[in-house]
Amino acid sequence: MSEKFKALMITNENGDYKSKFELIGLEDLPDHPVLIDVAYSTVNYKDGLALTGKGGKVVRNFPMVGGVDLSGTVIESKSDKFSEGDRVLVNGWGLSETQWGGFSQKQRINPDYLTKVPESFSLEEVMAIGTAGYTAMLCILALEDMCITPEKGKIIVTGASGGVGSISVAILAKLGYEVSACTGRLEEEDYLRSL
């Protein structure tokens, strides 16, 4: 009998949508080449939608392990891209939608989805950046690709008090942009000004 570990499982039986911790084994995981000992996973708005069944059809296959990202250490690999002991992260790629996600103590992942964690970062730090930080930086890189520079004027960030928005505000300000933070949550004004 294999070792059991916890996973936050999402099920939907005839419209009865449930999320609960279950004990599963390695034999229950997807058949992907890289087995990871999961250290961290962030909690995103999309995770809330996936776990509650609100906001449409985030989860497309059931049962599903939630969590749109993860960081951890490779335990076993059948891929020449990764070896036992490699520190890795993944975000996106359908995790918590069509692919089992990071809310599990162990997970099997397609090696094409994985990125090695640079030595300068801990597994905790890459998940502190997480999917929100990754998304924010992709948006900023897109601005730079369109030659939108600080001297071209103000940048407005909508949804500024959320994860992607607040990280965008902080990075843009650090890069020298004049940032206008737009939010419907007026109680966040002092926080946004601090960024």
Side-chain angles (χ1 to χ4, degrees):
M1 188 161 139
S2 76
E3 167 195 0
K4 297 292 184 184
F5 50 90
K6 291 180 188 174
L8 187 53
M9 194 69 66
I10 305 166
T11 59
N12 184 359
E13 294 179 25
N14 301 319
D16 186 16
Y17 205 95
K18 292 184 181 170
S19 300
K20 67 179 182 175
F21 284 102
E22 294 184 13
L23 288 176
I24 63 172
L26 294 177
E27 67 278 4
D28 298 312
L29 293 175
D31 187 25
H32 291 304
V34 181
L35 177 63
I36 299 167
D37 183 22
V38 178
Y40 299 96
S41 182
T42 65
V43 179
N44 292 273
Y45 183 73
K46 190 172 183 181
D47 292 312
L49 296 175
L51 294 172
T52 61
K54 298 184 177 172
K57 296 183 178 186
V58 172
V59 179
R60 296 187 206 132
N61 299 326
F62 295 93
M64 177 61 65
V65 172
V68 300
D69 55 23
L70 65 85
S71 67
T73 306
V74 174
I75 301 171
E76 169 187 302
S77 177
K78 296 175 185 166
S79 165
D80 56 2
K81 296 179 182 178
F82 297 95
S83 302
E84 182 180 335
D86 284 347
R87 297 173 328 121
V88 295
L89 69 94
V90 60
N91 62 41
W93 293 102
L95 266 62
S96 195
E97 294 175 33
T98 58
Q99 304 290 318
W100 280 22
F103 295 162
S104 178
Q105 292 176 295
K106 298 188 185 333
Q107 192 55 269
R108 281 202 178 97
I109 299 285
N110 180 328
D112 294 338
Y113 304 166
L114 294 170
T115 300
K116 287 186 182 176
V117 173
E119 287 300 318
S120 57
F121 289 97
S122 70
L123 294 174
E124 183 178 18
E125 288 170 328
V126 296
M127 281 298 101
I129 296 166
T131 298
Y134 175 73
T135 304
M137 198 62 216
L138 287 175
C139 295
I140 293 165
L141 291 172
L143 291 174
E144 291 176 345
D145 286 347
M146 292 184 284
C147 300
I148 298 173
T149 57
E151 54 277 352
K152 295 222 173 154
K154 267 186 194 177
I155 295 287
I156 297 174
V157 176
T158 60
S161 58
V164 175
S166 61
I167 293 170
S168 296
V169 168
I171 294 172
L172 287 164
K174 181 77 173 170
L175 291 173
Y177 289 86
E178 185 179 352
V179 181
S180 292
C182 181
T183 183
R185 295 167 39 192
L186 297 179
E187 67 274 13
E188 299 295 333
E189 180 179 352
D190 290 341
Y191 166 65
L192 291 170
R193 287 187 185 281
S194 75
L195 296 177

